[in-house]
Amino acid sequence: MERWKGRVALVTGASVGIGAAVARALVQQGMRVVGCARNVDKIEKLAAECQSAGYSGTLIPYKCDLSNEEEILSMFSAIKTLHKGVDVCINNAGLAHNEPLLSGKTEGWRNMIDVNVLALSICTREAYKSMKERNVDDGHIININSMGGHRVVPSGDEHFYSATKYAVTALTEGIRQELREANTHIRATCISPGIVETEFAFRHHNSDPEKAAAVYESMKCLKAEDVASAVTFVLGAPPHVQIGDVQMRPVEQVS
């Protein structure tokens, strides 16, 4: 990770869970991290904690609604002005709504597509532009995917979400191929965790907190820090090593 000290990383969805853990880990490694979310109060608190801990990097909170392209473009413009550009793009933000295929609301489906697929694609495009403008040839795009992007579980409230994560699997490989066609050494990776103990299940099952709690009580789940460790492992790989997809899950998770 030594070569990343002082470089700029963007982490989307950095206020809680995996995003917060990744932001903290990168700041600890000496990176300048722009952490974005719709609400930055928790990121501001995390930034203060990182500073108090004496980490060598810095965390810069940025308020951004990733379902709004104009706000994403404005964020990249601000990063260019204040920090020259993005060297590492961690597309972490994602959400799930309990909207089955046969009875779900279009609004919920659209919101999942906007954040899980379109925002990831827009951030990737803009991060690549930033790297290309500055002749950065060793950048990295990391998509936080899901095991739901590799198999379909028999649960109607997961199916549309799973479809968006299958899209992330395809997008990551497409990005890798296009980066090769462009003759760059910029890398693209997706990290696909299984069940991670965060606020995710409680947001997904917001009308049934007992169901959400049961998800995490059924086994020893991954922690957000486990996923953050996977991110630093991928970033720390030698520049000639392309890690395509990291699949990780709790030992006790069946599927």
Side-chain angles (χ1 to χ4, degrees):
M1 289 295 292
E2 187 69 25
R3 68 191 177 91
W4 294 111
K5 284 188 176 179
R7 306 284 292 275
V8 178
L10 170 66
V11 180
T12 67
S15 61
V16 294
I18 294 171
V22 170
R24 180 191 291 273
L26 298 184
V27 171
Q28 198 167 4
Q29 294 291 339
M31 296 193 74
R32 289 184 289 156
V33 179
V34 177
C36 79
R38 286 177 299 175
N39 188 319
V40 295
D41 292 348
K42 291 180 180 179
I43 305 177
E44 289 171 348
K45 182 180 178 183
L46 178 59
E49 290 173 3
C50 289
Q51 187 174 14
S52 297
Y55 296 160
S56 55
T58 54
L59 176 57
I60 304 105
Y62 195 95
K63 185 175 183 178
C64 181
D65 179 356
L66 291 166
S67 65
N68 185 321
E69 182 176 7
E70 291 306 314
E71 290 197 23
I72 297 175
L73 298 180
S74 178
M75 174 175 66
F76 272 91
S77 178
I79 293 171
K80 180 178 181 178
T81 300
L82 299 172
H83 310 288
K84 296 185 179 179
V86 172
D87 302 307
V88 174
C89 181
I90 314 285
N91 288 307
N92 164 75
L95 50 82
H97 296 297
N98 187 351
E99 303 291 356
L101 299 177
L102 301 183
S103 59
K105 296 182 181 66
T106 306
E107 180 183 3
W109 296 343
R110 184 175 288 115
N111 189 219
M112 285 186 270
I113 289 174
D114 284 345
V115 176
N116 299 1
V117 180
L118 287 178
L120 177 148
S121 300
I122 295 166
C123 287
T124 297
R125 180 189 69 201
E126 297 305 311
Y128 174 67
K129 283 183 182 178
S130 174
M131 296 173 199
K132 191 175 179 182
E133 286 172 358
R134 296 173 296 122
N135 296 315
V136 170
D137 195 45
D138 65 343
H140 208 137
I141 295 159
I142 299 177
N143 296 327
I144 304 300
N145 196 359
S146 166
M147 285 303 300
H150 301 276
R151 81 283 188 270
V152 179
V153 297
S155 175
D157 57 3
E158 303 285 345
H159 289 159
F160 198 95
Y161 168 76
S162 185
T164 67
K165 289 302 185 177
Y166 265 83
V168 173
T169 301
L171 287 167
T172 306
E173 174 58 14
I175 292 162
R176 187 196 68 80
Q177 292 182 15
E178 291 190 24
L179 289 170
R180 291 304 310 126
E181 289 171 7
N183 292 316
T184 82
H185 293 88
I186 298 167
R187 298 180 292 176
T189 301
C190 77
I191 296 175
S192 302
I195 298 174
V196 186
E197 189 172 356
T198 64
E199 296 181 8
F200 188 87
F202 289 96
R203 291 180 173 181
H204 183 30
H205 303 292
N206 57 3
S207 61
D208 191 351
E210 289 185 4
K211 183 175 182 179
V215 171
Y216 299 140
E217 291 169 359
S218 64
M219 69 185 77
K220 185 174 176 58
C221 301
L222 298 177
K223 302 292 185 184
E225 290 74 18
D226 297 325
V227 184
S229 294
V231 170
T232 55
F233 168 76
V234 166
L235 277 173
H240 70 283
V241 177
Q242 167 73 62
I243 299 173
D245 186 12
V246 177
Q247 295 185 28
M248 54 192 297
R249 69 188 103 190
V251 171
E252 298 172 40
Q253 185 174 341
V254 175
S255 62

